[in-house]
Amino acid sequence: MTIAAMKDYFSHRELGVQGAVGEYAILVPLAQREGKLCLLFETRAETLVGHQPGEVCFPGGRREAGERPVDTALRETWEEIGIPAEAIEILAPLDVIQDISDRVIYPFLGLVSPAGVAHLAASAAEVKNVFFVPLDYLLDYPEEVYRYTVSAQVDDSFPYERIGFPKTYPWRKGYMDVPIYEYQGHYIWGMTARTVRWLLNQLRTMEGLPPARKQP
């Protein structure tokens, strides 16, 4: 083992996220609908096993070997709702998400052309339906956010004495915010809503708008 070998190895290695058990990418699709700029959502098919059936989400999926995250998002969008890559203009990558199960998600904001919207064709095997939500509606939505605690569950096998710390060691707790948006009977929550909330906060900052109103 030499310094030169280390430099060579790490200079050719693609950077990742430590501890990630899987990498995924999603498209956050914008589209014009009835004269309004909207976000496009899908509802997962009820027949999906192990993939949160019935939940509202953005198109996306697991990154394949050698695939760029943006290409994953475009491929999954084509497979799930029939919009081809050439009908989507990628506007920007959004902040990466790492969830509590150590999945890493790369979101991309993309503008779908009118021709792309016309191509919409949900895959019956993966998608129950698709729907559009106006951005103005979401920006005006009173913020509804719930929080749960993530705490360490350490069993008696942990070697406290060997490392010189007591069993009362104050393990750090984490917190996860769960926003919820409702639109015409559709409920947007979980990671999808976290992405929406992040995007809305960025747009408010961009436009000089005040923070979201709180639920009464």
CSV table of all heavy atoms in Angstrom, one decimal, residues 129-183:
chain,number,residue,atom,x,y,z
A,129,ASN,N,-52.9,6.1,-10.9
A,129,ASN,CA,-53.4,7.3,-11.7
A,129,ASN,C,-52.4,8.4,-11.6
A,129,ASN,O,-51.4,8.3,-10.8
A,129,ASN,CB,-54.8,7.8,-11.1
A,129,ASN,CG,-54.7,8.1,-9.7
A,129,ASN,OD1,-53.8,8.7,-9.1
A,129,ASN,ND2,-55.8,7.7,-8.9
A,130,VAL,N,-52.6,9.5,-12.3
A,130,VAL,CA,-51.7,10.7,-12.3
A,130,VAL,C,-52.6,11.9,-12.1
A,130,VAL,O,-53.8,11.8,-12.5
A,130,VAL,CB,-50.8,10.8,-13.5
A,130,VAL,CG1,-49.9,9.7,-13.7
A,130,VAL,CG2,-51.7,11.0,-14.8
A,131,PHE,N,-52.1,12.9,-11.5
A,131,PHE,CA,-52.9,14.1,-11.3
A,131,PHE,C,-51.9,15.3,-11.2
A,131,PHE,O,-50.7,15.2,-10.9
A,131,PHE,CB,-53.8,14.0,-10.1
A,131,PHE,CG,-53.1,13.9,-8.8
A,131,PHE,CD1,-52.8,14.9,-7.9
A,131,PHE,CD2,-52.7,12.6,-8.3
A,131,PHE,CE1,-52.2,14.8,-6.7
A,131,PHE,CE2,-52.0,12.4,-7.1
A,131,PHE,CZ,-51.8,13.5,-6.3
A,132,PHE,N,-52.5,16.5,-11.5
A,132,PHE,CA,-51.7,17.8,-11.5
A,132,PHE,C,-52.2,18.6,-10.3
A,132,PHE,O,-53.4,18.7,-10.0
A,132,PHE,CB,-52.0,18.5,-12.8
A,132,PHE,CG,-51.4,17.9,-14.0
A,132,PHE,CD1,-52.2,16.9,-14.6
A,132,PHE,CD2,-50.2,18.2,-14.5
A,132,PHE,CE1,-51.8,16.3,-15.8
A,132,PHE,CE2,-49.7,17.6,-15.6
A,132,PHE,CZ,-50.5,16.6,-16.3
A,133,VAL,N,-51.3,19.3,-9.6
A,133,VAL,CA,-51.6,20.2,-8.5
A,133,VAL,C,-51.0,21.6,-8.9
A,133,VAL,O,-49.8,21.7,-9.0
A,133,VAL,CB,-51.1,19.7,-7.2
A,133,VAL,CG1,-51.5,20.7,-6.1
A,133,VAL,CG2,-51.6,18.3,-6.9
A,134,PRO,N,-51.8,22.6,-9.0
A,134,PRO,CA,-51.2,24.0,-9.3
A,134,PRO,C,-50.2,24.4,-8.2
A,134,PRO,O,-50.5,24.3,-7.0
A,134,PRO,CB,-52.5,24.9,-9.3
A,134,PRO,CG,-53.6,24.0,-9.6
A,134,PRO,CD,-53.3,22.7,-8.9
A,135,LEU,N,-49.1,25.0,-8.7
A,135,LEU,CA,-48.1,25.5,-7.7
A,135,LEU,C,-48.7,26.6,-6.8
A,135,LEU,O,-48.4,26.7,-5.6
A,135,LEU,CB,-46.9,26.1,-8.5
A,135,LEU,CG,-45.7,25.2,-8.7
A,135,LEU,CD1,-44.6,26.0,-9.4
A,135,LEU,CD2,-45.2,24.6,-7.4
A,136,ASP,N,-49.6,27.4,-7.4
A,136,ASP,CA,-50.2,28.5,-6.6
A,136,ASP,C,-51.0,27.9,-5.4
A,136,ASP,O,-50.9,28.5,-4.3
A,136,ASP,CB,-51.1,29.4,-7.4
A,136,ASP,CG,-50.3,30.3,-8.4
A,136,ASP,OD1,-49.1,30.4,-8.2
A,136,ASP,OD2,-51.0,30.8,-9.3
A,137,TYR,N,-51.6,26.8,-5.7
A,137,TYR,CA,-52.4,26.1,-4.6
A,137,TYR,C,-51.5,25.7,-3.5
A,137,TYR,O,-51.7,25.9,-2.3
A,137,TYR,CB,-53.2,24.9,-5.2
A,137,TYR,CG,-53.8,24.1,-4.1
A,137,TYR,CD1,-55.1,24.3,-3.7
A,137,TYR,CD2,-53.2,23.0,-3.6
A,137,TYR,CE1,-55.8,23.5,-2.8
A,137,TYR,CE2,-53.8,22.2,-2.6
A,137,TYR,CZ,-55.1,22.5,-2.2
A,137,TYR,OH,-55.7,21.7,-1.3
A,138,LEU,N,-50.3,25.0,-3.9
A,138,LEU,CA,-49.4,24.5,-2.9
A,138,LEU,C,-48.7,25.7,-2.1
A,138,LEU,O,-48.5,25.6,-0.9
A,138,LEU,CB,-48.4,23.6,-3.5
A,138,LEU,CG,-48.9,22.3,-4.1
A,138,LEU,CD1,-47.9,21.7,-5.0
A,138,LEU,CD2,-49.3,21.4,-3.0
A,139,LEU,N,-48.4,26.7,-2.8
A,139,LEU,CA,-47.7,27.9,-2.2
A,139,LEU,C,-48.6,28.5,-1.1
A,139,LEU,O,-48.2,29.1,-0.1
A,139,LEU,CB,-47.3,28.9,-3.2
A,139,LEU,CG,-46.0,28.5,-4.0
A,139,LEU,CD1,-45.9,29.4,-5.2
A,139,LEU,CD2,-44.8,28.6,-3.2
A,140,ASP,N,-49.9,28.5,-1.4
A,140,ASP,CA,-50.9,29.1,-0.4
A,140,ASP,C,-51.4,28.1,0.6
A,140,ASP,O,-52.2,28.5,1.5
A,140,ASP,CB,-52.1,29.6,-1.2
A,140,ASP,CG,-52.9,30.6,-0.4
A,140,ASP,OD1,-52.4,31.5,0.3
A,140,ASP,OD2,-54.2,30.4,-0.4
A,141,TYR,N,-51.0,26.9,0.5
A,141,TYR,CA,-51.5,25.8,1.4
A,141,TYR,C,-51.0,26.1,2.9
A,141,TYR,O,-49.8,26.2,3.1
A,141,TYR,CB,-51.0,24.4,1.0
A,141,TYR,CG,-51.8,23.3,1.6
A,141,TYR,CD1,-52.9,22.8,0.9
A,141,TYR,CD2,-51.4,22.7,2.8
A,141,TYR,CE1,-53.6,21.7,1.4
A,141,TYR,CE2,-52.1,21.7,3.3
A,141,TYR,CZ,-53.2,21.2,2.6
A,141,TYR,OH,-53.9,20.1,3.2
A,142,PRO,N,-51.8,26.1,3.9
A,142,PRO,CA,-51.4,26.3,5.2
A,142,PRO,C,-50.5,25.1,5.7
A,142,PRO,O,-51.0,23.9,5.5
A,142,PRO,CB,-52.7,26.3,6.1
A,142,PRO,CG,-53.7,26.7,5.1
A,142,PRO,CD,-53.3,26.1,3.8
A,143,GLU,N,-49.3,25.4,6.1
A,143,GLU,CA,-48.4,24.3,6.4
A,143,GLU,C,-48.9,23.4,7.5
A,143,GLU,O,-49.2,23.8,8.6
A,143,GLU,CB,-47.0,24.9,6.8
A,143,GLU,CG,-45.9,23.8,6.9
A,143,GLU,CD,-44.6,24.4,6.7
A,143,GLU,OE1,-44.0,24.8,7.7
A,143,GLU,OE2,-44.1,24.4,5.6
A,144,GLU,N,-48.9,22.1,7.2
A,144,GLU,CA,-49.3,21.0,8.1
A,144,GLU,C,-48.2,20.0,8.2
A,144,GLU,O,-47.9,19.2,7.3
A,144,GLU,CB,-50.6,20.3,7.6
A,144,GLU,CG,-51.1,19.3,8.5
A,144,GLU,CD,-52.4,18.6,8.0
A,144,GLU,OE1,-52.8,19.0,6.8
A,144,GLU,OE2,-52.9,17.7,8.6
A,145,VAL,N,-47.5,20.1,9.4
A,145,VAL,CA,-46.3,19.3,9.5
A,145,VAL,C,-46.3,18.6,10.9
A,145,VAL,O,-46.6,19.2,11.9
A,145,VAL,CB,-45.0,20.1,9.4
A,145,VAL,CG1,-43.8,19.2,9.6
A,145,VAL,CG2,-44.9,20.9,8.1
A,146,TYR,N,-46.1,17.2,10.8
A,146,TYR,CA,-46.0,16.4,12.0
A,146,TYR,C,-44.6,16.0,12.2
A,146,TYR,O,-43.8,15.9,11.3
A,146,TYR,CB,-47.0,15.3,12.0
A,146,TYR,CG,-48.4,15.7,11.8
A,146,TYR,CD1,-48.9,16.0,10.5
A,146,TYR,CD2,-49.3,16.0,12.8
A,146,TYR,CE1,-50.2,16.4,10.3
A,146,TYR,CE2,-50.6,16.5,12.7
A,146,TYR,CZ,-51.0,16.7,11.4
A,146,TYR,OH,-52.3,17.2,11.2
A,147,ARG,N,-44.2,15.6,13.4
A,147,ARG,CA,-42.9,15.3,13.7
A,147,ARG,C,-42.8,14.0,14.6
A,147,ARG,O,-43.6,13.8,15.5
A,147,ARG,CB,-42.1,16.4,14.4
A,147,ARG,CG,-40.7,16.0,15.0
A,147,ARG,CD,-40.0,17.2,15.5
A,147,ARG,NE,-39.4,18.0,14.4
A,147,ARG,CZ,-38.5,19.0,14.5
A,147,ARG,NH1,-38.1,19.3,15.8
A,147,ARG,NH2,-38.1,19.6,13.5
A,148,TYR,N,-41.9,13.1,14.2
A,148,TYR,CA,-41.7,11.9,15.1
A,148,TYR,C,-40.2,11.8,15.4
A,148,TYR,O,-39.4,12.3,14.7
A,148,TYR,CB,-42.3,10.6,14.4
A,148,TYR,CG,-41.6,10.2,13.2
A,148,TYR,CD1,-40.4,9.3,13.2
A,148,TYR,CD2,-42.1,10.5,11.9
A,148,TYR,CE1,-39.8,8.9,12.1
A,148,TYR,CE2,-41.5,10.0,10.8
A,148,TYR,CZ,-40.4,9.2,10.8
A,148,TYR,OH,-39.8,8.8,9.7
A,149,THR,N,-40.0,11.1,16.5
A,149,THR,CA,-38.6,11.0,17.1
A,149,THR,C,-38.0,9.7,16.6
A,149,THR,O,-38.6,8.6,16.6
A,149,THR,CB,-38.7,11.0,18.6
A,149,THR,OG1,-39.3,12.2,19.0
A,149,THR,CG2,-37.3,11.0,19.2
A,150,VAL,N,-36.7,9.8,16.2
A,150,VAL,CA,-36.0,8.6,15.9
A,150,VAL,C,-34.9,8.5,17.0
A,150,VAL,O,-34.1,9.3,17.2
A,150,VAL,CB,-35.3,8.7,14.5
A,150,VAL,CG1,-34.5,7.5,14.2
A,150,VAL,CG2,-36.3,9.0,13.4
A,151,SER,N,-35.0,7.4,17.8
A,151,SER,CA,-34.0,7.2,18.9
A,151,SER,C,-33.3,5.9,18.8
A,151,SER,O,-33.7,4.9,18.1
A,151,SER,CB,-34.8,7.2,20.2
A,151,SER,OG,-35.8,6.2,20.3
A,152,ALA,N,-32.1,5.9,19.4
A,152,ALA,CA,-31.2,4.7,19.4
A,152,ALA,C,-31.8,3.6,20.2
A,152,ALA,O,-32.2,3.8,21.4
A,152,ALA,CB,-29.8,5.0,19.9
A,153,GLN,N,-31.8,2.4,19.7
A,153,GLN,CA,-32.3,1.2,20.5
A,153,GLN,C,-31.0,0.3,20.6
A,153,GLN,O,-30.6,-0.4,19.7
A,153,GLN,CB,-33.4,0.4,19.7
A,153,GLN,CG,-34.6,1.3,19.4
A,153,GLN,CD,-35.3,1.7,20.6
A,153,GLN,OE1,-35.5,0.9,21.6
A,153,GLN,NE2,-35.8,3.0,20.6
A,154,VAL,N,-30.4,0.4,21.8
A,154,VAL,CA,-29.1,-0.3,22.0
A,154,VAL,C,-29.3,-1.4,23.0
A,154,VAL,O,-29.8,-1.2,24.1
A,154,VAL,CB,-28.0,0.7,22.6
A,154,VAL,CG1,-26.7,0.1,22.7
A,154,VAL,CG2,-27.9,2.0,21.7
A,155,ASP,N,-28.9,-2.6,22.6
A,155,ASP,CA,-29.2,-3.8,23.5
A,155,ASP,C,-28.0,-4.0,24.5
A,155,ASP,O,-27.0,-3.3,24.4
A,155,ASP,CB,-29.5,-5.0,22.7
A,155,ASP,CG,-28.4,-5.5,21.8
A,155,ASP,OD1,-27.2,-5.2,22.2
A,155,ASP,OD2,-28.7,-6.1,20.8
A,156,ASP,N,-28.1,-5.0,25.4
A,156,ASP,CA,-27.1,-5.2,26.4
A,156,ASP,C,-25.8,-5.7,25.9
A,156,ASP,O,-24.8,-5.8,26.7
A,156,ASP,CB,-27.7,-6.2,27.5
A,156,ASP,CG,-28.8,-5.6,28.3
A,156,ASP,OD1,-28.9,-4.3,28.3
A,156,ASP,OD2,-29.7,-6.3,28.8
A,157,SER,N,-25.7,-6.1,24.6
A,157,SER,CA,-24.5,-6.6,24.1
A,157,SER,C,-23.5,-5.5,23.8
A,157,SER,O,-22.3,-5.8,23.5
A,157,SER,CB,-24.7,-7.4,22.9
A,157,SER,OG,-25.2,-6.6,21.8
A,158,PHE,N,-23.9,-4.2,23.8
A,158,PHE,CA,-23.0,-3.1,23.5
A,158,PHE,C,-21.9,-3.0,24.5
A,158,PHE,O,-22.2,-3.0,25.7
A,158,PHE,CB,-23.7,-1.8,23.3
A,158,PHE,CG,-22.9,-0.7,22.7
A,158,PHE,CD1,-22.7,-0.6,21.3
A,158,PHE,CD2,-22.2,0.2,23.5
A,158,PHE,CE1,-22.0,0.4,20.8
A,158,PHE,CE2,-21.4,1.2,22.9
A,158,PHE,CZ,-21.3,1.3,21.6
A,159,PRO,N,-20.6,-3.0,24.1
A,159,PRO,CA,-19.5,-3.0,25.1
A,159,PRO,C,-19.2,-1.7,25.8
A,159,PRO,O,-18.1,-1.1,25.6
A,159,PRO,CB,-18.3,-3.5,24.3
A,159,PRO,CG,-18.6,-2.9,22.9
A,159,PRO,CD,-20.1,-3.0,22.7
A,160,TYR,N,-20.1,-1.1,26.6
A,160,TYR,CA,-19.9,0.2,27.2
A,160,TYR,C,-18.6,0.2,28.0
A,160,TYR,O,-17.8,1.1,28.0
A,160,TYR,CB,-21.1,0.5,28.1
A,160,TYR,CG,-22.4,0.9,27.4
A,160,TYR,CD1,-23.4,0.0,27.2
A,160,TYR,CD2,-22.5,2.2,26.9
A,160,TYR,CE1,-24.6,0.4,26.5
A,160,TYR,CE2,-23.7,2.6,26.2
A,160,TYR,CZ,-24.7,1.6,26.0
A,160,TYR,OH,-25.8,2.0,25.4
A,161,GLU,N,-18.5,-0.9,28.9
A,161,GLU,CA,-17.3,-0.9,29.8
A,161,GLU,C,-16.0,-0.9,29.0
A,161,GLU,O,-15.0,-0.3,29.4
A,161,GLU,CB,-17.4,-2.1,30.7
A,161,GLU,CG,-18.6,-2.1,31.7
A,161,GLU,CD,-18.6,-3.3,32.6
A,161,GLU,OE1,-17.7,-4.1,32.5
A,161,GLU,OE2,-19.6,-3.4,33.4
A,162,ARG,N,-16.0,-1.7,28.0
A,162,ARG,CA,-14.7,-1.8,27.2
A,162,ARG,C,-14.3,-0.5,26.6
A,162,ARG,O,-13.1,-0.2,26.5
A,162,ARG,CB,-14.9,-2.9,26.1
A,162,ARG,CG,-13.6,-3.2,25.4
A,162,ARG,CD,-13.6,-4.6,24.9
A,162,ARG,NE,-14.7,-4.9,24.0
A,162,ARG,CZ,-14.6,-4.7,22.6
A,162,ARG,NH1,-13.5,-4.3,22.1
A,162,ARG,NH2,-15.7,-5.0,21.9
A,163,ILE,N,-15.2,0.4,26.2
A,163,ILE,CA,-14.9,1.7,25.6
A,163,ILE,C,-14.9,2.8,26.6
A,163,ILE,O,-14.6,3.9,26.3
A,163,ILE,CB,-15.8,2.0,24.4
A,163,ILE,CG1,-17.2,2.2,24.9
A,163,ILE,CG2,-15.7,0.9,23.3
A,163,ILE,CD1,-18.2,2.6,23.7
A,164,GLY,N,-15.2,2.4,27.9
A,164,GLY,CA,-15.1,3.4,28.9
A,164,GLY,C,-16.2,4.4,29.1
A,164,GLY,O,-16.0,5.5,29.6
A,165,PHE,N,-17.4,4.0,28.7
A,165,PHE,CA,-18.6,4.8,28.8
A,165,PHE,C,-19.7,4.1,29.6
A,165,PHE,O,-19.8,2.8,29.5
A,165,PHE,CB,-19.1,5.3,27.5
A,165,PHE,CG,-18.2,6.3,26.8
A,165,PHE,CD1,-17.2,6.0,26.0
A,165,PHE,CD2,-18.4,7.7,27.1
A,165,PHE,CE1,-16.4,6.9,25.4
A,165,PHE,CE2,-17.6,8.6,26.5
A,165,PHE,CZ,-16.6,8.3,25.7
A,166,PRO,N,-20.5,4.8,30.3
A,166,PRO,CA,-21.6,4.1,31.1
A,166,PRO,C,-22.8,3.8,30.2
A,166,PRO,O,-22.9,4.3,29.1
A,166,PRO,CB,-22.0,5.2,32.1
A,166,PRO,CG,-21.7,6.5,31.4
A,166,PRO,CD,-20.5,6.2,30.6
A,167,LYS,N,-23.6,2.9,30.7
A,167,LYS,CA,-24.8,2.5,30.0
A,167,LYS,C,-25.8,3.6,29.9
A,167,LYS,O,-26.8,3.5,29.1
A,167,LYS,CB,-25.5,1.3,30.7
A,167,LYS,CG,-24.7,0.0,30.5
A,167,LYS,CD,-25.5,-1.2,31.0
A,167,LYS,CE,-24.7,-2.5,30.7
A,167,LYS,NZ,-25.5,-3.7,31.1
A,168,THR,N,-25.6,4.7,30.7
A,168,THR,CA,-26.5,5.9,30.6
A,168,THR,C,-26.0,6.8,29.5
A,168,THR,O,-26.4,8.0,29.5
A,168,THR,CB,-26.5,6.6,31.9
A,168,THR,OG1,-25.1,6.9,32.3
A,168,THR,CG2,-27.2,5.7,33.0
A,169,TYR,N,-25.1,6.4,28.6
A,169,TYR,CA,-24.5,7.3,27.6
A,169,TYR,C,-25.7,7.9,26.8
A,169,TYR,O,-26.6,7.3,26.4
A,169,TYR,CB,-23.7,6.5,26.6
A,169,TYR,CG,-23.1,7.3,25.5
A,169,TYR,CD1,-21.9,8.1,25.8
A,169,TYR,CD2,-23.7,7.4,24.3
A,169,TYR,CE1,-21.4,8.9,24.8
A,169,TYR,CE2,-23.1,8.2,23.3
A,169,TYR,CZ,-22.0,8.9,23.5
A,169,TYR,OH,-21.5,9.7,22.5
A,170,PRO,N,-25.6,9.3,26.7
A,170,PRO,CA,-26.8,10.0,26.0
A,170,PRO,C,-26.7,9.9,24.5
A,170,PRO,O,-26.3,10.8,23.8
A,170,PRO,CB,-26.6,11.4,26.5
A,170,PRO,CG,-25.1,11.5,26.7
A,170,PRO,CD,-24.6,10.2,27.1
A,171,TRP,N,-27.2,8.8,24.0
A,171,TRP,CA,-27.2,8.7,22.5
A,171,TRP,C,-28.1,9.8,21.9
A,171,TRP,O,-29.1,10.1,22.5
A,171,TRP,CB,-27.9,7.3,22.1
A,171,TRP,CG,-27.0,6.1,22.5
A,171,TRP,CD1,-27.1,5.4,23.7
A,171,TRP,CD2,-25.9,5.5,21.7
A,171,TRP,NE1,-26.1,4.4,23.7
A,171,TRP,CE2,-25.4,4.5,22.5
A,171,TRP,CE3,-25.4,5.8,20.5
A,171,TRP,CZ2,-24.4,3.7,22.0
A,171,TRP,CZ3,-24.4,5.0,20.0
A,171,TRP,CH2,-23.9,4.0,20.8
A,172,ARG,N,-27.7,10.3,20.8
A,172,ARG,CA,-28.4,11.4,20.1
A,172,ARG,C,-29.7,10.9,19.6
A,172,ARG,O,-29.8,9.7,19.0
A,172,ARG,CB,-27.6,12.0,19.0
A,172,ARG,CG,-26.4,12.8,19.5
A,172,ARG,CD,-25.7,13.4,18.4
A,172,ARG,NE,-24.5,14.2,18.8
A,172,ARG,CZ,-23.7,14.9,18.0
A,172,ARG,NH1,-23.9,14.9,16.7
A,172,ARG,NH2,-22.7,15.6,18.5
A,173,LYS,N,-30.7,11.7,19.6
A,173,LYS,CA,-32.0,11.4,19.0
A,173,LYS,C,-32.1,12.3,17.7
A,173,LYS,O,-31.5,13.3,17.6
A,173,LYS,CB,-33.2,11.8,19.9
A,173,LYS,CG,-33.3,11.0,21.2
A,173,LYS,CD,-34.5,11.4,22.0
A,173,LYS,CE,-34.6,10.6,23.2
A,173,LYS,NZ,-35.8,11.0,24.1
A,174,GLY,N,-32.9,11.7,16.8
A,174,GLY,CA,-33.1,12.5,15.6
A,174,GLY,C,-34.6,12.7,15.4
A,174,GLY,O,-35.4,12.2,16.2
A,175,TYR,N,-35.0,13.6,14.5
A,175,TYR,CA,-36.4,13.9,14.3
A,175,TYR,C,-36.7,13.9,12.8
A,175,TYR,O,-35.8,14.2,12.0
A,175,TYR,CB,-36.7,15.3,14.8
A,175,TYR,CG,-36.4,15.4,16.3
A,175,TYR,CD1,-35.2,15.9,16.8
A,175,TYR,CD2,-37.4,15.1,17.2
A,175,TYR,CE1,-34.9,15.9,18.1
A,175,TYR,CE2,-37.1,15.2,18.6
A,175,TYR,CZ,-35.9,15.6,19.0
A,175,TYR,OH,-35.6,15.7,20.4
A,176,MET,N,-37.9,13.5,12.4
A,176,MET,CA,-38.3,13.5,11.1
A,176,MET,C,-39.6,14.2,10.9
A,176,MET,O,-40.6,14.0,11.6
A,176,MET,CB,-38.5,12.0,10.6
A,176,MET,CG,-38.8,11.9,9.1
A,176,MET,SD,-37.5,12.4,8.0
A,176,MET,CE,-36.3,11.1,8.3
A,177,ASP,N,-39.6,15.2,10.1
A,177,ASP,CA,-40.8,16.0,9.8
A,177,ASP,C,-41.6,15.3,8.7
A,177,ASP,O,-41.1,14.8,7.7
A,177,ASP,CB,-40.5,17.4,9.3
A,177,ASP,CG,-40.0,18.3,10.5
A,177,ASP,OD1,-40.3,17.9,11.7
A,177,ASP,OD2,-39.4,19.4,10.2
A,178,VAL,N,-42.9,15.3,8.9
A,178,VAL,CA,-43.8,14.6,8.0
A,178,VAL,C,-44.9,15.7,7.5
A,178,VAL,O,-45.9,15.9,8.2
A,178,VAL,CB,-44.5,13.4,8.6
A,178,VAL,CG1,-45.4,12.7,7.5
A,178,VAL,CG2,-43.5,12.4,9.2
A,179,PRO,N,-44.6,16.4,6.4
A,179,PRO,CA,-45.6,17.3,5.9
A,179,PRO,C,-46.8,16.6,5.2
A,179,PRO,O,-46.6,15.4,4.7
A,179,PRO,CB,-44.9,18.2,4.9
A,179,PRO,CG,-43.4,17.7,5.0
A,179,PRO,CD,-43.4,16.4,5.6
A,180,ILE,N,-47.9,17.2,5.2
A,180,ILE,CA,-49.1,16.6,4.5
A,180,ILE,C,-49.8,17.7,3.7
A,180,ILE,O,-50.0,18.8,4.2
A,180,ILE,CB,-50.1,16.0,5.5
A,180,ILE,CG1,-49.5,14.9,6.3
A,180,ILE,CG2,-51.4,15.5,4.8
A,180,ILE,CD1,-50.4,14.3,7.3
A,181,TYR,N,-50.1,17.4,2.4
A,181,TYR,CA,-50.8,18.3,1.6
A,181,TYR,C,-52.0,17.5,1.0
A,181,TYR,O,-51.9,16.3,0.7
A,181,TYR,CB,-50.0,18.8,0.4
A,181,TYR,CG,-48.7,19.5,0.8
A,181,TYR,CD1,-47.5,18.9,1.0
A,181,TYR,CD2,-48.8,20.9,0.9
A,181,TYR,CE1,-46.4,19.6,1.3
A,181,TYR,CE2,-47.6,21.6,1.3
A,181,TYR,CZ,-46.4,20.9,1.5
A,181,TYR,OH,-45.3,21.6,1.8
A,182,GLU,N,-53.2,18.1,1.0
A,182,GLU,CA,-54.4,17.5,0.5
A,182,GLU,C,-54.9,18.3,-0.7
A,182,GLU,O,-55.0,19.5,-0.7
A,182,GLU,CB,-55.5,17.4,1.6
A,182,GLU,CG,-56.7,16.6,1.2
A,182,GLU,CD,-57.7,17.4,0.4
A,182,GLU,OE1,-57.8,18.6,0.6
A,182,GLU,OE2,-58.5,16.8,-0.4
A,183,TYR,N,-55.2,17.5,-1.8
A,183,TYR,CA,-55.7,18.2,-3.0
A,183,TYR,C,-56.8,17.3,-3.7
A,183,TYR,O,-56.4,16.2,-4.1
A,183,TYR,CB,-54.6,18.5,-4.0
A,183,TYR,CG,-55.1,19.2,-5.2
A,183,TYR,CD1,-55.4,20.5,-5.2
A,183,TYR,CD2,-55.1,18.5,-6.5
A,183,TYR,CE1,-55.9,21.2,-6.4
A,183,TYR,CE2,-55.6,19.1,-7.6
A,183,TYR,CZ,-55.9,20.5,-7.6
A,183,TYR,OH,-56.4,21.1,-8.7
